[in-house]
Amino acid sequence: IITPTAAQPMEPTISQLQMAEVSEQATMKLSEAFGKYGETRLEGKLGKDVDEVAVPAKGESYKRNSFANLQSSAKLIVNLIGDKQVSELTKADFTEAFSIIQKVPANHGKSSTETRSIREIVEATDLTEQKNKARVHAELKRVGASQGNIEAAEYQENITRLRVNTVYRHMQDTQRVLRYLIANGYLAENFMKGVIWSKHELQRLEILQEDNS
């Protein structure tokens, strides 16, 4: 008679271990993603490959020249998208975020007492601009100014927004963070593809900006 042996616990398979690892990684929040990428750059790595060798001198250079920019990008993106889990991010998040970032007033960040969200700031700026243009239009219309003069006066009421190069820098920083997440197995797709401007589009917007300045 063969006596059945007690069932032994099965060893986890490779796929199970990978799934567990992915599940753990997926709990990373967007703010943490920017933070981890920043730490990687400060170590002197580019964040493009898990096997990179740190070059301390490059980390020091990044700290001096680019780290503050990354922190600025992180604040904008997290403020607009929310501190979502990385696994919950979508391309639509970044498309909407950068449609709003383009409208951020140039003086944003200058006030230490500002408590409004980026969306609230942009909405208030748009409203102020519209009210000022309507006031100027009505005043000039009343005195019989030409349409050309009215349009010129309305244009003077435009509130300066972030410069094209500044918006593009935020796009680059965000894309680098997403590529870091892909390289480290946190994401499978670069949601900035199709959102970040092409070189041709960047040049077109820069020319348009200069023409209107």
Side-chain angles (χ1 to χ4, degrees):
I1 298 173
I2 300 176
T3 304
T5 58
Q8 297 297 317
M10 293 178 62
E11 290 294 324
T13 64
I14 296 296
S15 60
Q16 288 173 328
L17 291 174
Q18 289 174 334
M19 288 177 65
E21 183 179 359
V22 169
S23 177
E24 180 181 353
Q25 290 176 334
T27 62
M28 178 187 289
K29 290 187 175 182
L30 184 56
S31 61
E32 295 172 325
F34 273 92
K36 285 184 176 294
Y37 173 74
E39 291 171 4
T40 298
R41 295 305 304 269
L42 292 176
E43 290 173 0
K45 300 177 182 179
L46 295 178
K48 296 180 179 180
D49 196 312
V50 293
D51 298 323
E52 290 174 344
V53 176
V55 181
K58 290 185 177 180
E60 288 298 323
S61 176
Y62 185 82
K63 182 177 182 179
R64 288 194 306 272
N65 302 311
S66 304
F67 187 55
N69 293 337
L70 176 69
Q71 291 177 308
S72 176
S73 296
K75 287 180 180 178
L76 280 174
I77 295 299
V78 174
N79 186 295
L80 285 167
I81 294 178
D83 205 9
K84 285 186 175 183
Q85 301 291 344
V86 166
S87 61
E88 297 174 355
L89 294 172
T90 67
K91 186 170 185 174
D93 289 328
F94 296 94
T95 299
E96 182 191 24
F98 279 100
S99 71
I100 296 172
I101 288 174
Q102 294 177 61
K103 298 179 181 179
V104 172
N107 63 359
H108 170 66
K110 302 295 193 298
S111 173
S112 60
T113 60
E114 181 61 77
T115 59
R116 294 173 298 174
S117 71
I118 302 298
R119 291 175 191 274
E120 291 171 334
I121 291 171
V122 169
E123 288 172 359
T125 302
D126 286 347
L127 183 59
T128 298
E129 187 175 274
Q130 291 166 9
K131 285 182 176 179
N132 290 343
K133 287 185 176 184
R135 173 181 51 77
V136 167
H137 182 97
E139 290 174 353
L140 293 180
K141 192 77 171 178
R142 187 170 59 251
V143 298
S146 69
Q147 184 61 30
N149 285 339
I150 291 176
E151 290 177 357
E154 286 179 338
Y155 180 78
Q156 293 300 316
E157 296 301 322
N158 284 342
I159 297 174
T160 304
R161 312 299 173 115
L162 291 182
R163 292 188 64 80
V164 168
N165 279 337
T166 301
V167 175
Y168 187 64
R169 174 174 54 75
H170 290 310
M171 288 179 166
Q172 288 179 306
D173 276 336
T174 302
Q175 177 161 263
R176 289 172 185 137
V177 171
L178 295 188
R179 285 176 171 170
Y180 164 82
L181 293 173
I182 292 170
N184 287 272
Y186 293 90
L187 278 183
E189 179 183 353
N190 177 9
F191 295 125
M192 284 299 292
K193 186 176 182 180
V195 176
I196 189 171
W197 296 326
S198 65
K199 294 296 183 182
H200 177 75
E201 179 66 5
L202 175 62
Q203 291 173 354
R204 186 188 72 80
L205 291 170
E206 287 176 331
I207 292 171
L208 184 63
Q209 177 178 260
E210 291 306 313
D211 287 345
N212 291 330
S213 62

